[in-house]
Amino acid sequence: MTIQIRTAPYERVGGDHLGPFEVHPDLVQMHLGVIAMSGTEDLPGSMNTDTDPADPDYLLLEWDPGPQDTTTASGQVRQLLKDMVDSSRDFKLFGVGPGFVWSDGSTLRDGAGGALGSFLFYDVENCEGDGRWVRGVNGEEVCTSSAGILFHEMGHRHLGHPSGFSSEDTDNDERAAVGVENLLRTAQGLVERDPDHWPESSCGCPGSDCCIVASVASGSPYSSEVHALRFLRDYILRTTVLGRHLFDMLHSEYYSFSVSVCRIMLLSPEAKTNVQNWLVIPLIQSYEAARRYACFPEDIAGLGKQVMENSLPDSPVESLEHADLEKGLLFIEALLERSPSTVQNCALDASTIEICDTLKTHLRNCPHITWAIIEPLLAYVETKVQFRGTAQIEDAGLFFKQRMETWLPAIPLRYLLPKMSDTDLLESLSRLSESVFTSSDVRKQLGIRISDTLSSHKRDAITGRLRDMGYL
Amino acid sequence: MKTESFRENVSLQVQKCAFSDGQLQVDLMLSNNGDTAIFAISSPRRIEFDQGSGVLHLWLSDEGRKREQMPGVVREISSPPKKALKPREHMVLNIHVPVDITRLVPHDDQTFHLEAIDLTKAEHVEIHCNVDDKPFYADKKETDITKQLAHWGTRLDIKANIDRKNAY
């Protein structure tokens, strides 16, 4: 048992007032889980961690997936990870994030991972959420993930490569580590990385490391559900300055709880299924319905049809019993602490209740996640529960429309507006009036809120433009 | 090495240099007055803080880095992220650097310590940005990627004081 995960924050020299360095053990465990799942929906055997009795600053990884079919890529990845667990070499894993620099001052954007003897350091946030590309064997820039970077670095250690650049065999060592990384890429159904062009990688890849909860719940960071969320992130949310600031807030709030949720899911298939059916898939469907509302705000019947009929092929939500959907609604209401009942009364498994409690606690301090994720989800599932089994498509559409018109103008402004110049705010609102805030009622409600939030000086400066754009 | 006229046609100005939201934010205006497109490294490759002089160096450049500076660590070097700038146009590079930096300091016996660097103590910033009229392409015949990167482009240097009055 030689894979150790550093858990204790690491004391730093020269900055007592700054405190110790955080090493992100939850994210490291999550990335090990993604490697062990190796592109499938299953995690064979139980992957446990326990405090290392010899050094309580570390967790020891315990994992035995049983016999593996090494004719498959997934089997090869699992066998290799198992070999690493059983290896005589030590692997001490450190998750590092923004603010970490290597010894010469180079940043994680410059080098995503490295080794010093048995200590392995890698970027757990994958370029601060921007993603990272590597050169694929098809010649294209293809995305990589933090789990891929970790497996690459573990490959170096497993293969006994000497540390650093002192070796003249650097090029060969890198090719070999890319080979290890490619085992995982193949298992995940991705284009392999070109070992002959290993230095060609850099930050900025819209497809990578999105939505870790959806990745674990759906079994892969490259599932259709995660692709749908990536599309929304990259082609709607991050196309304006306002959207990018909102994304930054969502990103920091999301990582306050997502790894805890994923850890529970990795240990409980039932909780994983519930998160997939009650949160991930309905969330994507709610966004699809919200997009339809934004495009055709007056088409009530079409909106009702969109909400009540499935927009994702073979969505398991449609096959849920009504009672299960109601449980999902209760679960979401409980997250917002709006339900008179509690999830404990719904005969849920302990892991799902633990996820509910974890989310509930964090959401109190996550206004952007609550607005961007939980509120539209609630609107969607409430509509489904209320109108399921009825022929009242138009009523369902009207109900959902009203919920959208309450939800959209309620975007949290307190932390977003101070970050933006007048020009950026107006440009963002102008663009969003064509894609998100298409309804004049929504624009007017939002304009009033913006106006009330701004200082009188700023308000005077932009009121005319807001009025011209229909926001007042 | 580029001609003097290349250097004369490219200029760098600091529009903003202030602390905000736990970060040092530097907005750089890059202008291309020449007749061909240029490429510029768009985010810091290295961060060096001289605590004695209070000067923070932000290297949007691979110049000056050698392998010997990294005993025992960092296997994988990425290509620098670059932005293209058309002829006779300008663009703003927004640089964000956390004020709380942690540097890995390796020891000869393959142990290490972590050094905390408080960038709020910086008084001045020196920015070094490499630009070129073609992107970086790795030469497979030369395995030392660090050396190749260090020779890419022409370096522009600019200094700025940190605006503490308008920090928010």
Side-chain angles (χ1 to χ4, degrees), chain B residues 66-80:
Chain B
K66 299 187 181 79
R67 284 183 174 178
E68 303 85 86
Q69 287 178 297
M70 298 183 286
V73 289
V74 185
R75 291 184 173 279
E76 192 161 353
I77 296 291
S78 300
S79 308

Side-chain angles (χ1 to χ4, degrees), chain A residues 12 103-104 110 115 162 193, chain B residues 65 72 75-76 79 102-103:
Chain A
R12 297 186 289 178
S103 55
D104 68 340
D110 178 23
R193 183 174 178 179
Chain B
R65 185 167 64 179
R75 291 184 173 279
E76 192 161 353
S79 308
T102 301
R103 189 170 80 95

Side-chain angles (χ1 to χ4, degrees), chain A residues 423-472:
Chain A
T423 308
D424 287 343
L425 175 62
L426 290 169
E427 277 184 14
S428 298
L429 291 174
S430 174
R431 291 191 65 177
L432 291 169
S433 66
E434 295 168 3
S435 58
V436 178
F437 304 127
T438 52
S439 152
S440 58
D441 286 346
V442 167
R443 282 200 301 277
K444 285 196 166 62
Q445 289 180 63
L446 179 57
I448 291 168
R449 285 193 60 235
I450 290 172
S451 190
D452 289 345
T453 307
L454 293 175
S455 64
S456 57
H457 172 70
K458 267 198 146 189
R459 186 166 47 232
D460 292 344
I462 68 167
T463 294
R465 286 291 314 280
L466 285 176
R467 192 171 290 120
D468 292 345
M469 292 189 292
Y471 280 92
L472 282 175

